[in-house]
Amino acid sequence: MSLVDDAIRIRVNAHAPYSGFKVGAAIRTPSGRVFTGVNVENAAYPEGTCAEAGAIAAMVAAGETEIAAMAVVGDAPAPVTPCGGCRQKIAEFAPRGVVVTMANLAGDRLEMKIEALLPYAFAKAQMEG
Ligand code: THU
């Protein structure tokens, strides 16, 4: 099963009663394990979290800290692209060259490397004198 399939499968569990827009995300790590996440909205709207953040949290909680590949899926006219904040969250764990596959349920796909999704990402190296 592809990472996009994993994201599609988990997406149904999203908690999105406010936007009605369910998103699924899946990460593969170098170990071969797959971690998934969904968006979790809240009645206090700003407290909602994105699917990508959920998948990253699951990966880190399991003791892994490197993204080898990632997929994001929603039911949209075009492939769903991660928000700005999520691009920064992905860049924290995805080395240069990692491909993020964006998809929708119609079968459209868009693949981009992390450095193209977030050029000039802020990173730890910038805080080192
Ligand atoms: N959302 C995600 O979970 N990931 C994205 O890449 C785009 C947006 C969620 C946040 C919110 O729950 C809903 O989609 C509408 O913005």
Side-chain angles (χ1 to χ4, degrees), residues 2 12 14-15 24 32 39 45-46 68-69 77 80 88-89 93 100 112 120 123:
S2 75
V12 297
H15 177 73
N39 53 329
Y45 293 178
V80 171
Q88 182 70 33
K89 289 183 177 76
F93 300 104
V100 178
M112 288 181 71
Y120 302 99

Side-chain angles (χ1 to χ4, degrees), residues 6-7 10-11 23-27 35-38 51-52 55 70-73:
D6 290 313
I10 204 69
R11 177 187 159 274
V23 181
I27 291 169
F35 300 96
T36 55
V38 295
E52 296 90 327
M70 183 156 190
V72 185
V73 177

Side-chain angles (χ1 to χ4, degrees), residues 36-115:
T36 55
V38 295
N39 53 329
V40 181
E41 297 182 350
N42 192 284
Y45 293 178
E47 299 304 326
T49 52
C50 287
E52 296 90 327
I56 289 169
M59 173 187 76
V60 174
E64 300 217 30
T65 53
E66 187 175 329
I67 295 172
M70 183 156 190
V72 185
V73 177
D75 187 9
V80 171
T81 53
C83 76
C86 283
R87 294 177 196 208
Q88 182 70 33
K89 289 183 177 76
I90 297 165
E92 177 76 14
F93 300 104
R96 205 176 167 77
V98 165
V99 172
V100 178
T101 303
M102 296 153 277
N104 62 11
L105 298 185
D108 300 310
R109 303 283 181 267
L110 172 64
E111 292 192 345
M112 288 181 71
K113 291 182 177 168
I114 183 61
E115 65 268 26

